[in-house]
């Protein structure tokens, strides 16, 4: 039996919605399990604990980078950066996907 990997997908949300969906579809087509922030809000300590638990339970961490920094936590740190920092600290293998033309993202996605 082949192992199914859980892959945490992280990015800013509104500007990279289509890109997240593409990565999610690719993961499913490979018969692996996607996980990510759209499954839960990242606005309080309980949610942050849940995010850490999901990252801990994931085999890989995929970061999609576009042109925005994203929503900030109470300390001024972006949630996407906070997730990334935690994944690195947890020694998760990180796969970073950089948007080829972040300046060309539609205005309503910036």
């Amino acid at each position: 039996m082949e192992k199914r990997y859980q892959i945490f997908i992280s990015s800013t949300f509104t500007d990279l919605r289509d890109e997240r969906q593409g990565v999610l579809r690719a993961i499913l087509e490979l018969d692996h399990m996607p996980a990510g922030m759209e499954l839960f809000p990242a606005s309080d300590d309980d949610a942050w604990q849940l995010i850490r638990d999901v990252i801990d339970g994931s085999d890989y961490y995929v970061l999609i980078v576009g042109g925005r920094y994203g929503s900030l936590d109470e300390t001024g740190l972006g949630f996407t950066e906070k997730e990334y920092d935690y994944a690195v600290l947890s020694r998760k293998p990180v796969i970073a996907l950089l948007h080829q033309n972040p300046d060309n993202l539609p205005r309503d996605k910036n």
Side-chain angles (χ1 to χ4, degrees):
M1 184 170 163
E2 240 180 86
K3 179 169 173 51
R4 292 184 72 198
Y5 294 101
Q6 179 169 301
I7 302 163
F8 190 94
I9 305 168
S10 182
S11 74
T12 52
F13 191 68
T14 57
D15 59 325
L16 296 171
R17 188 167 294 165
D18 294 340
E19 291 78 2
R20 287 177 71 82
Q21 286 301 308
V23 170
L24 187 138
R25 277 192 304 276
I27 291 168
L28 290 171
E29 287 172 7
L30 292 169
D31 201 27
H32 298 299
M33 298 170 290
M37 68 164 197
E38 66 274 357
L39 303 174
F40 34 77
S43 59
D44 61 28
D45 289 339
D46 291 336
W48 175 236
Q49 182 59 54
L50 178 58
I51 290 168
R52 289 190 314 230
D53 291 345
V54 174
I55 292 171
D56 287 342
S58 295
D59 299 292
Y60 293 92
Y61 176 91
V62 172
L63 173 64
I64 307 169
V65 179
R68 290 186 60 222
Y69 184 66
S71 301
L72 306 178
D73 71 5
E74 66 283 348
T75 69
L77 186 65
F79 285 107
T80 304
E81 183 175 356
K82 190 172 181 176
E83 292 171 355
Y84 170 79
D85 289 346
Y86 184 77
V88 169
L89 183 67
S90 302
R91 304 179 74 77
K92 292 294 171 189
V94 173
I95 300 167
L97 305 172
L98 308 177
H99 197 284
Q100 185 174 4
N101 296 305
D103 291 335
N104 292 343
L105 288 171
R107 263 198 199 285
D108 65 340
K109 294 178 103 180
N110 283 330

